[in-house]
Amino acid sequence: MPEMVYQLPDARGHFGPYGGSFVAETLVPALAELSAAYQQAQADPAFRAEFNYDLKHYVGRPSPIYHAQRWSALLGGAQIYLKREDLNHTGAHKVNNCIGQAMLARRMGKPRVIAETGAGQHGVATATVAARYGMECVVYMGAEDIKRQSANVFRMKLLGATVVPVDSGSKTLKDALNEAMRDWVTNIADTFYIIGTVAGPHPYPMMVRDFQAVIGEECKLQMPEVAGRQPDVVIACVGGGSNAMGIFYPYLDVEGVELIGVEAAGLGLATGRHAAPLTANSRVGVLHGNRTYLMQDENGQIVETHSISAGLDYPGVGPEHAWLKDSGRARYVAVTDDEALAAFHALCRLEGIIPALESAHALAYAAQLAPTLARDQILLVNVSGRGDKDIHTVAEKSAIEL
Amino acid sequence: MSRIDATFERLRTRKRCGLIPFITAGDPDAATTLALLRALVLSGADLIELGVPFSDPMADGPTIQRASERALRQGMSLRGVLELVRAFRQENQHTPLVLMGYANPIEAYGKAFVDDARGAGVDGVLTVDYPPEECADFAAALKSAGIDPIFLLAPTSTEQRYAQVAAMGGGYIYYVSMKGVTGSALLDFEQLGQRLPAIRAAVGMPVCVGFGIRDAASAAKVAAFADAVVVGSRLIEEIEASPRDQAPAKVAKLMNEIRMAIDNASVAGRAP
């Protein structure tokens, strides 16, 4: 990477006061082994070459950047450009990271991979890559999420993965993560845990960011070609925050580019039924191996979150986002279920693109921001995934009969 | 001498392996927990580990996870746990109590935790997701308040790790007898017997063994080389299956069986 001023995390995975490695003793050596293997792989040109080859020929990268002209014109302000991660194989940005981690698993001689999934996109991507590499694959998914993402559950099964429903706690993404951690600690010798977001203990937040950084790296090359210059604002949705870190990271040292992460305001921040720990200024705490902003009660118990989008329905956020918020380099906002839904429909009808409900949050904020800016301003929005998986949710919420 | 040190000193003199029960505070409710603590003491507990319930107990199996959920539904909190400890201390001054739980409730409680825990009569704190490198300040604060920071070691731990926990920890080492979560089965006694003397020598503290001790027979096997055995999930299963008023008696019965088996087991292989 060319002369980045930004050098985080430190050797033990800290982004300022955030991140780290808060795990039970059994996992400590496994994480040390993983860190060492990752460091070695990074230094190996053959690893990077194979990663790039797979991104190109298997995923279909680079994903294009598309000027949403009709939508921009309708909104009557800034020009909106879309980074089309929805066009990747498996339909979302998640696959970038899965290829990297599966390659690492293979290098480390681990024949079995496990994953947690919320919306199912990370589960599908993991199952896909596991099928291709001939690895056993087990995906943990909250029972609640299995209900709202049945198409992705079927895809994972088609790909040969075992999908394990998680009935504990709130039966969503955080509980799936707990269960995957339990599996890992039990089967640590032969199992690689492919975490899907920029959270978890070190080195996961760094490693996932690095694998996803291809999104922003491409944008930096594509924007001058497509729009004549770099964007004024980059917008991405944030649950755990992997697609956002992927597009933000290469722009961190680019002056004049504003970075905005969009969280899920659910039914509204004031209702408490949301998944926006950064925007709501939740208390900092420790969960899932890292220190970050966390939605919790006064006793430190993690509270149930709500979002129309399963992929954003998470009480924490990647530690690097916590750091970027505090440092002011990125700004975090939240949009409600209804606002996301409206943006979802707008993109379908005006641009012929069905975005994931997660990505619709980023689009919804772009729709709020664009009219306040001049027509020569440029917004770059990460369309992190496609919305086929969400058709049942959207039909139900929008009272459409299938 | 601290209550924990005095307890292990007494065990050493009597050449006995200690018995450490684990229950979750507030499961099924605070009053029953207090009754259970009394029953545990009467049925041979040398030290008690009291679980602080957490919404996301990642290192625990389904049994302790359910106990946590029951306790939280009853409104149990870290504050409530300290109240329980205070109540217990009014009637018992000699049985050490160690809080076992996760970092977030302690961080949410704030800096006052260490003083409040000392005031309540807590002897040790085991924070599952605070490995030594992430909790230097906290461990130091506990120590200066006379509370032992208890650390875990696992079959995967390196020798470098032994030294690290020896330097930062106090009281005893909790050796996680296997890979996996609490309540799992399958213990490798042979491997355990080979490893324990080296660990004990390296850490210079008593080594207690937990995870996977399901009954009197497995407790007895572990007693041959451990300074104490920890029994948790199995007791909680008993609590779960019993009406509230009968839980203490059921737990005491199981404790008595284990106590007897441990005492009868050979302690010949153990360091003096």
Side-chain angles (χ1 to χ4, degrees), chain B residues 182-245:
Chain B
T182 51
S184 318
L186 294 167
L187 249 180
D188 186 342
F189 297 107
E190 201 178 319
Q191 194 199 49
L192 199 59
Q194 282 167 358
R195 230 170 248 181
L196 239 48
I199 294 174
R200 189 188 289 115
V203 297
M205 276 184 270
V207 179
C208 308
V209 175
F211 282 43
I213 295 164
R214 302 280 311 157
D215 49 23
S218 51
K221 282 190 189 168
V222 174
F225 29 76
D227 293 301
V229 296
V230 186
V231 184
S233 299
R234 184 64 191 85
L235 296 179
I236 288 173
E237 284 169 15
E238 213 62 40
I239 296 169
E240 195 167 36
S242 315
R244 281 163 203 232
D245 57 334

Side-chain angles (χ1 to χ4, degrees), chain A residues 11-190:
Chain A
R12 291 197 291 114
H14 294 105
F15 302 88
Y18 306 110
S21 190
F22 295 85
V23 294
E25 178 62 23
T26 316
L27 288 178
V28 170
L31 289 164
E33 183 194 356
L34 176 60
S35 284
Y38 177 56
Q39 221 168 12
Q40 205 186 38
Q42 264 184 318
D44 180 357
F47 184 87
R48 193 78 212 179
E50 188 184 347
F51 180 61
N52 290 338
Y53 181 92
D54 272 11
L55 289 183
K56 182 174 177 189
H57 298 280
Y58 190 64
V59 177
R61 303 202 72 93
S63 65
I65 287 179
Y66 164 77
H67 184 187
Q69 291 187 39
R70 291 191 70 208
W71 196 39
S72 304
L74 187 90
L75 292 167
Q79 301 307 304
I80 300 177
Y81 287 78
L82 307 177
K83 177 62 172 169
R84 300 289 310 277
E85 289 298 299
D86 59 311
L87 294 177
N88 291 340
H89 178 41
T90 73
H93 72 292
K94 293 289 186 187
V95 70
N96 303 328
N97 166 55
C98 288
I99 286 180
Q101 290 198 47
M103 281 173 55
L104 206 52
R106 206 181 43 189
R107 267 173 92 97
M108 294 172 75
K110 312 270 184 188
R112 180 174 180 267
V113 296
I114 58 171
E116 85 294 339
T117 198
Q121 289 303 116
H122 175 58
V124 167
T126 305
T128 298
V129 177
R132 175 160 177 258
Y133 287 172
M135 292 167 163
E136 185 192 343
C137 178
V138 176
V139 179
Y140 291 91
M141 189 167 184
E144 190 59 38
D145 291 339
I146 285 183
K147 264 192 285 179
R148 49 182 173 176
Q149 304 288 349
S150 54
N152 271 344
V153 175
F154 185 54
R155 289 166 79 196
M156 286 184 264
K157 288 182 176 171
L158 284 176
L159 292 159
T162 306
V163 180
V164 181
V166 177
D167 269 310
S168 56
S170 57
K171 304 174 191 189
T172 60
L173 180 55
K174 83 171 170 76
D175 308 286
L177 228 148
N178 290 338
E179 215 51 47
M181 284 276 189
R182 292 186 181 110
D183 179 313
W184 197 32
V185 83
T186 307
N187 301 296
I188 209 149
D190 73 341

Side-chain angles (χ1 to χ4, degrees), chain A residues 12 14 20-26 28-29 168-169 174-175 178-179 181-182 185-186 188-189 283-289 291 294 296 298-302, chain B residues 53-61 65 69 72 76-77 103-105 107-109 128-134 152-154 156-157 161 176 178-181:
Chain A
R12 291 197 291 114
H14 294 105
S21 190
F22 295 85
V23 294
E25 178 62 23
T26 316
V28 170
S168 56
K174 83 171 170 76
D175 308 286
N178 290 338
E179 215 51 47
M181 284 276 189
R182 292 186 181 110
V185 83
T186 307
I188 209 149
R283 196 144 34 137
V284 171
V286 172
L287 181 70
H288 294 149
R291 177 174 279 129
L294 272 184
Q296 53 184 308
E298 72 277 11
N299 293 315
Q301 307 298 340
I302 309 306
Chain B
F54 182 47
S55 53
D56 294 77
M58 286 188 317
D60 286 298
Q65 194 181 0
E69 286 175 5
L72 291 174
M76 186 47 67
S77 62
N104 205 56
E107 296 204 353
Y109 193 103
V128 177
D129 51 351
Y130 261 166
E133 55 272 25
E134 295 288 2
L152 298 166
L153 283 175
T156 50
S157 302
R161 203 73 186 159
V176 178
M178 63 169 80
K179 298 165 190 172
V181 293

Side-chain angles (χ1 to χ4, degrees), chain B residues 32-45:
Chain B
T32 308
T33 300
L34 203 53
L36 283 163
L37 289 174
R38 289 184 198 119
L40 291 171
V41 172
L42 290 174
S43 55

Side-chain angles (χ1 to χ4, degrees), chain B:
Chain B
M1 191 184 278
S2 76
R3 266 189 288 261
I4 293 179
D5 288 348
T7 297
F8 284 103
E9 183 63 40
R10 196 183 68 242
L11 288 167
R12 254 191 306 275
T13 327
R14 299 185 189 166
K15 294 199 179 245
R16 253 168 52 136
C17 173
L19 175 55
I20 304 181
F22 168 97
I23 59 170
T24 299
D27 169 36
D29 56 50
T32 308
T33 300
L34 203 53
L36 283 163
L37 289 174
R38 289 184 198 119
L40 291 171
V41 172
L42 290 174
S43 55
D46 294 297
L47 181 156
I48 298 171
E49 288 182 352
L50 191 56
V52 179
F54 182 47
S55 53
D56 294 77
M58 286 188 317
D60 286 298
T63 304
I64 292 179
Q65 194 181 0
R66 282 196 305 272
S68 253
E69 286 175 5
R70 285 192 296 269
L72 291 174
R73 272 200 300 275
Q74 291 292 318
M76 186 47 67
S77 62
L78 183 50
R79 215 163 281 282
V81 174
L82 292 182
E83 275 169 34
L84 269 173
V85 173
R86 209 172 290 122
F88 176 75
R89 275 285 166 256
Q90 279 173 6
E91 50 191 81
N92 180 318
Q93 292 294 318
H94 71 275
T95 307
L97 274 182
V98 169
L99 300 188
M100 185 166 177
Y102 293 80
N104 205 56
I106 291 176
E107 296 204 353
Y109 193 103
K111 290 233 184 297
F113 170 73
V114 174
D115 282 344
D116 290 359
R118 180 182 48 189
V122 169
D123 300 287
V125 175
L126 196 170
T127 315
V128 177
D129 51 351
Y130 261 166
E133 55 272 25
E134 295 288 2
C135 70
D137 293 348
F138 179 66
L142 285 176
K143 270 191 166 172
S144 64
I147 298 174
D148 286 318
I150 316 282
F151 285 101
L152 298 166
L153 283 175
T156 50
S157 302
T158 58
E159 279 174 30
Q160 189 191 353
R161 203 73 186 159
Y162 300 169
Q164 216 172 349
V165 298
M168 278 182 69
Y172 60 96
I173 290 295
Y174 186 125
Y175 185 73
V176 178
S177 52
M178 63 169 80
K179 298 165 190 172
V181 293
T182 51
S184 318
L186 294 167
L187 249 180
D188 186 342
F189 297 107
E190 201 178 319
Q191 194 199 49
L192 199 59
Q194 282 167 358
R195 230 170 248 181
L196 239 48
I199 294 174
R200 189 188 289 115
V203 297
M205 276 184 270
V207 179
C208 308
V209 175
F211 282 43
I213 295 164
R214 302 280 311 157
D215 49 23
S218 51
K221 282 190 189 168
V222 174
F225 29 76
D227 293 301
V229 296
V230 186
V231 184
S233 299
R234 184 64 191 85
L235 296 179
I236 288 173
E237 284 169 15
E238 213 62 40
I239 296 169
E240 195 167 36
S242 315
R244 281 163 203 232
D245 57 334
Q246 286 167 38
K250 294 273 191 187
V251 163
K253 181 171 175 289
L254 182 61
M255 281 286 290
N256 280 320
E257 285 170 26
I258 297 173
R259 179 82 260 176
M260 215 156 5
I262 291 177
D263 291 349
N264 290 339
S266 159
V267 292
R270 292 204 287 132

